[in-house]
Amino acid sequence: MKTSKWALFVSAAIILFGMLAAVPNVLTPEQQAKYGHFLPSNPVTLGLDLKGGSHLVLEVDSAALRKARMDVLLNDTRAILRTAGERASAARLNGTTLTVTLPDQAALDKVLPEVRKLAAPTSTLGFGAGSSDIDVATSGLQINVTLTEAGINERMSAAVEQSLEIIRRRVDQVGVAEPLIQRVGGDRILVQLPGLQDPTRLRQLLGSTAQMSFHMVDQTVDPNGVAPRGVLILPGANDGRKYAVEERVAISGDRLADAKAGFDQRSNEPIVSFSFDSTGARQFAEITQANVGKPFAIVLDGKVLTAPVIREPIIGGQGQISGNFNPQEATVLSALLRSGALPAPLTIIEERTVGPNLGSDSIRMGLYTGFAGLLAVVILMQVLYGAWGLIANLGLVLHTILTIGVLGLLGSTLTLPGIAGIILGIGMAVDANILINARIREETAGGAGAMKALDVGFNKAYATIVDGNMTTMVGMILLFMFGSGPVRGFAITMIIGLAISMFTSITFVRFLMREAVIVRKMKKIDIHSLFGKVWEIPTFSFMRGRYIAIAMSAFISTSSIILFFTPGLNYGIDFVGGIQVEATSKSPIDLATLRKKMEDLNLGEVALQEFGQGTSVLVRVQRQPGGEAEQTAALQEIRNGVAEMIPDANFERTEVVGPTVSTELARSGFLAVGLGMVAILIYIWWRFEWHFAVGAIVTLILDITKMIGFFSLMQIDFNLTAIAAVLTLIGYSVNDKVVVYDRMRENLRKYKSMPFSDLIDLSINQVVMRCIFTSLAVAVSLLPMAIWGGDTVKPFAWPMLFGVVVATTSSIYIGGPILLFLSRWWKDRDTARATGTAGKPAAEA
């Protein structure tokens, strides 16, 4: 069948465009600046695990946002009551409800319309007015005010957008290059700062609300006693004292015009100089004129920074803040004041920091293992298929180039798991070429000429390739939907790789093979290895040993389930939350001494893991009770303790994961696995028959239990990367079984009278070498990653190597027997029904 010229033109255009999109990744910065605007994409962005930096996820405190709105409503309602001549204390907050109790109907009729005026309309899409942000209801002489869901959502959205802008301004004050600040979901903000490895400073900068206000100090109240109404007892920010300040705000922090860090010329101590706008300057002058000799408190986020005594009126609208802070703290404080206050507190629910050394090592190891994996696959294909393997290898190289080009076009961020996805995608792309070559060889053996063998072989292989890749893609799509961060990077590279694999195999490789046949005027296609005929195993009856195979599989799966409970999975920080610090030293680390030091910190359960020939250590500590301040303090204690025990310690990575994130990651990870299996079940049921789908799922469950047992036995960290490994195993395992099932379906149409057990044996014998060759290709692509890939991808690579062996053996020895059992059970059931139906009339007669 001749290929359409239009199809060739479109394919050539796609290939050329994809190659041009990959070019920026090999240009120097100077060349990129000179020629980059002529190219369709930018270089692929490297993730923080490849170049170092800090990654934080912040969540807007919805409870504080609600409370702030309710406090405003309470103050406004009390003002209404005073104007109406009623007691202000008639308005009280009961949880999330504002209750106003009035003495008579006249007072109710007077106050109710004014309270309703406090409602603010919410925006709406389309025509018509928006709903109100509060709900005002009456019960007798009582008015109840609550926030509506629409109002809460709008305030949350506005708070996130406002927080985004404030965070951008704060980050700009620090001067971090190429920051990534974006909204994630309804109430979260993702911040990635390349090159910044000081998480403590980052937490201070982003986690502080920076709500500043100025209050008079009430000297008549004992700060160690009970505060009367209208007075607040606030702690000092740095001096450990308590201050009794008036609740009424003398000057709001919104009146600040500028703030700068500097040094006091007399004492040479760090200070922050500030200035007010015109209204603030006038208010400041009036207050200082009326209160000479009295202390004036400057309050930030509920803590008194300083409370100087007013010596003389300050007319110019300028002042300064001094206290027990260092130059760095003064710089952070001035940045906070210049950028403005956050509308609500931000909670840092996830933090990951990677040092520049670990990032550069990751780049080097990622490139080395990537090239090594690709080279191993290329050598294998050349050995297996000789000259025809060269065409397959050109397809693999093009596959790799196009994958990088598409990642650049999409603006994707490449992480180390993403590199793993590319490598594994190459290994799985080989499967298409192996299927094509195997099909062409079969057609040739059947007596077909060169062109017929080529066309029929490609057409028969195409359906199998699509079915196999689609089942893998289902799992990857779900991993992308429910995964997080680097795991999504792995999923997207796999999805792109699978799609490109189908394109290169069916267009580019087919075109080259067709041209080779035409140019060389071949009458027959002989596909041989470098050492002669491609090796094949003798015909074997797999069904005869089915009971032994199923018994062994059941034994291993049962043992794996026992291992799941004892000793259990070694859950990583992604799932259990906590603090994790990785440090390296030039000399071997005394683990016993370091463990003693960590235990003396009294931070709860501490786990130390030594690796890198004793020069690296991973310290894991449980999440601390309390909020983010406690996590920051604990992280700093750990760093100080490690630095004390290891003077030349270099902190390569720090991670802080809160319970919210860990719970969500665990739920989404396991949900992705469950939904992946359901989606695969539906797809195979649709493409084949019900017993094929059930057989695939039962075999999958056995494969997954074995992998879980492997994680438990080897005590490998079970984290998001492990979830990626499980989902990849599902995709690969089903892909393997689809190839076997596809051949069975084909033989069912060809040999209608053959016993099903014999047909299963025939089908497995026909595809067994393809299963072995594909598994070998995937294994050699993963092996460099497993050996040299580093701790980020080892929890993926080693289990996947084990999973490849399990998936291949189950496709050959387990999938067929289960299918045979289901088929016989269904036939026996139909026979029993038919016998019963046939016997009824006789019985009735």
Side-chain angles (χ1 to χ4, degrees), residues 179-231:
L180 172 65
I181 303 168
Q182 65 185 30
R183 183 172 183 169
V184 181
D187 59 352
R188 292 179 184 175
I189 298 171
L190 169 66
V191 181
Q192 289 189 344
L193 304 176
L196 187 64
Q197 279 87 43
D198 188 351
T200 303
R201 183 183 177 194
L202 199 58
R203 279 170 167 267
Q204 292 174 345
L205 189 67
L206 302 182
S208 176
T209 313
Q211 291 180 334
M212 191 171 185
S213 55
F214 298 82
H215 304 251
M216 294 304 302
V217 176
D218 192 332
Q219 294 178 290
T220 63
V221 176
D222 180 7
N224 296 311
V226 178
R229 178 172 294 179
V231 176

Side-chain angles (χ1 to χ4, degrees), residues 677-690:
M677 294 182 67
V678 172
I680 288 168
L681 175 71
I682 294 170
Y683 181 81
I684 297 178
W685 200 317
W686 171 61
R687 288 291 291 150
F688 294 86
E689 294 179 26
W690 73 267

Side-chain angles (χ1 to χ4, degrees), residues 391-405:
I391 292 176
N393 285 331
L394 289 174
L396 289 178
V397 172
L398 178 64
H399 168 275
T400 306
I401 293 172
L402 293 183
T403 301
I404 295 171

